[in-house]
Structure formats: C-alpha cells, structure tokens
C-alpha cells in the first residue's frame, strides 16, 4: 500500500494471511515467484525487497535503480528477477546469488509491463514510449520485434496459447500475433483492469458498469458476466 506495508490475502477465506513491514515508501509494483514462496515488491524509493513468505522476512533489498521502479517479473524458472524503471532501464538479477547480472536501456520512457512467454526464452516489455517490444532473454538487448501502440502501453502479458500477446492502456485493449507481429484485434474501452483467466485462455476486463467481459486469444468477445455485490459487501458473486 501507500504506507509501505505489503498485505497478502487468502482468496478462499478472505482473511489476511500476511502483513509484511519494511518498506520506507509506498509500494509501486510486485511480482510473485513461481514457487509461490517469495514475493518481490518495489517501493517509490527505488528499492526492491524479496520477501520470504514462510518467515515473513525480507531476504534481499537491492538498490540499483536511479528512477522509480515501475514493473517487476520473475522468469518462469524462478532464477531471475527483472525490474524496469521510469527511465527505460531494465535490470536482470540472479535471485539465489542475490547479484545484479545485466543492465539494459530498452525504452525511451517508463517501462510499464514485463512478461515472459511460457518457455522463458522470450520477454515482452511495454512502455510509455508507445511501443511493445519482444526480446530474446538469452540475448537481452537484441529486439526481436517492435509493435507500435496507439498511445502508451500500460502493461503486457502472454496468453496460454504462447502465440498471443496482450497489451493495453486506459483506452484500448490489443491482441497481437507473436509470430507475425500482426495486430489481431483491438477494443476501445475506458478501463485499465485486465487479468488472465484460468489456464491463460481468456482475458477478463472490468467494465465501467461493474461487470466483466471475457475475450479469447483472437480477441473475440465471448460474453459478459455481471458482478453482484450483496448488502454488506461481504461476498462477490459472478453471474452468467
């Protein structure tokens, strides 16, 4: 939160399972380790802390960025942590050895999103310089493709088919074909809240009216799910 506390909730019970204290400023970005046992969190003082959920302690607090850290991502094998900042720099860290491995200037503005494909070989970065770029993780710094955005790219992620890349900003949602770089589909929307559905086969978008929209990997709208919040706001019900 803005107070520097990291709060973790059990989605089944709705109870708070952890509260991690140690950041000196508000939390700007987070990433969950593939094992589920660690969380990386970056605060507005340009500090990343790697938290161990079993002990509740911060294992590591690297301070190498010169600007605000705006995006974090673990590699699928959990060996590397990538951190992007407002000056377009991306840093690659060895998680177990707790050392900085590489430093790259990838964009001309804020890196707003980082994601790996399921193999861990391809990396996607989104930026406020109006681009979405793909990189070879083994040869980071050599761009495989650049997609021009209509406006800033706020975030990006690979879908479960390993062929579709999704990016978005406050005004549009984009579906890209990885192999050709072709824009498959785009949708206008006044929303910046998107998540992958189960198995990564759908994209869910929260609408201005409080419902959910579901899209397949080709960008086709599958349907709408109204959200009902009963009196007392104790439960969340999705209707079909």
């Amino acid at each position: 939160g803005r107070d520097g506390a990291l709060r973790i909730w059990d989605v089944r019970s709705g109870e708070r399972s952890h509260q991690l204290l140690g950041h000196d400023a508000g939390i700007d970005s987070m990433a969950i380790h593939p094992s589920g046992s660690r969380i990386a969190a970056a605060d507005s003082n340009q500090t990343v802390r790697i938290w161990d959920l079993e002990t509740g302690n911060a294992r590591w607090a690297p301070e190498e960025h010169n600007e605000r850290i705006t995006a974090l991502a673990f590699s699928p094998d959990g060996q590397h942590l990538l951190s992007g900042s407002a000056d377009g720099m991306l840093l690659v860290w060895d998680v177990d050895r707790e050392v900085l491995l590489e430093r790259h200037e990838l964009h001309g503005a804020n890196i707003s999103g980082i994601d790996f494909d399921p193999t861990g070989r391809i990396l996607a970065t989104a930026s406020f310089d109006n681009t979405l770029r793909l990189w070879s993780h083994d040869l980071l710094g050599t761009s495989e493709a650049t997609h021009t955005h209509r406006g800033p790219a706020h975030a990006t992620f690979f879908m479960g088919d390993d062929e579709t890349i999704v990016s978005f900003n406050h005004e549009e949602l984009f579906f890209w074909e990885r192999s050709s770089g072709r824009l498959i589909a785009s949708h206008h929307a006044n929303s910046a809240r998107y998540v992958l559905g189960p198995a990564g086969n759908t994209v869910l978008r929260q609408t201005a009216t409080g419902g959910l929209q579901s899209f397949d990997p080709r960008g086709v709208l599958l349907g709408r799910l109204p959200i009902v919040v009963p009196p007392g706001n104790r439960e969340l019900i999705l209707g079909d």
Side-chain angles (χ1 to χ4, degrees), residues 70-215:
T70 50
L72 293 171
F74 283 102
S75 59
D77 60 12
Q79 294 182 4
H80 300 127
L81 173 68
L82 277 64
S83 56
S85 54
D87 55 3
M89 297 295 296
L90 186 135
L91 275 56
V92 182
W93 306 86
D94 186 301
V95 174
D96 292 328
R97 291 192 293 149
E98 302 181 354
V99 295
L100 177 64
L101 297 177
E102 303 172 23
R103 184 190 298 267
H104 301 278
E105 185 174 358
L106 298 188
H107 287 275
N110 179 348
I111 295 177
S112 49
I114 305 169
D115 194 32
F116 284 91
D117 79 334
T119 70
R121 294 193 296 267
I122 302 298
L123 176 74
T125 57
S127 173
F128 277 29
D129 65 3
N130 297 357
T131 63
L132 167 66
R133 305 186 73 179
L134 302 184
W135 312 84
S136 169
H137 179 42
D138 293 334
L139 297 171
L140 195 60
T142 302
S143 179
E144 293 203 345
T146 300
H147 306 317
T148 301
H149 241 253
R150 292 192 291 266
H154 288 181
T156 184
F157 47 83
F158 286 89
M159 295 195 69
D161 64 352
D162 194 26
E163 179 59 22
T164 305
I165 305 169
V166 176
S167 60
F168 59 85
N169 54 35
H170 286 299
E171 297 179 351
E172 288 189 88
L173 171 66
F174 301 89
F175 292 80
W176 307 87
E177 189 174 69
R178 170 182 158 184
S179 58
S180 67
R182 181 174 62 91
L183 179 63
I184 304 170
S186 64
H187 297 271
H188 289 275
N190 183 20
S191 174
R193 297 183 179 182
Y194 301 91
V195 295
L196 279 177
N201 295 324
T202 57
V203 174
L204 301 178
R205 177 174 71 187
Q206 182 178 354
T207 67
T209 58
L212 289 177
Q213 292 179 329
S214 176
F215 299 87

Side-chain angles (χ1 to χ4, degrees), residues 1-2 5-6 23 25-32 39-51 65 67-74 81-86 110-114 154:
R2 293 297 92 190
L6 188 64
H23 285 274
I27 306 298
D28 285 332
S29 54
M30 295 182 296
I32 301 174
I39 290 181
D43 62 41
S44 55
N45 283 341
Q46 294 91 54
T47 299
V48 180
R49 295 185 186 274
I50 311 296
W51 294 91
H65 280 281
E67 297 287 343
R68 174 171 155 256
I69 300 168
T70 50
L72 293 171
F74 283 102
L81 173 68
L82 277 64
S83 56
S85 54
N110 179 348
I111 295 177
S112 49
I114 305 169
H154 288 181

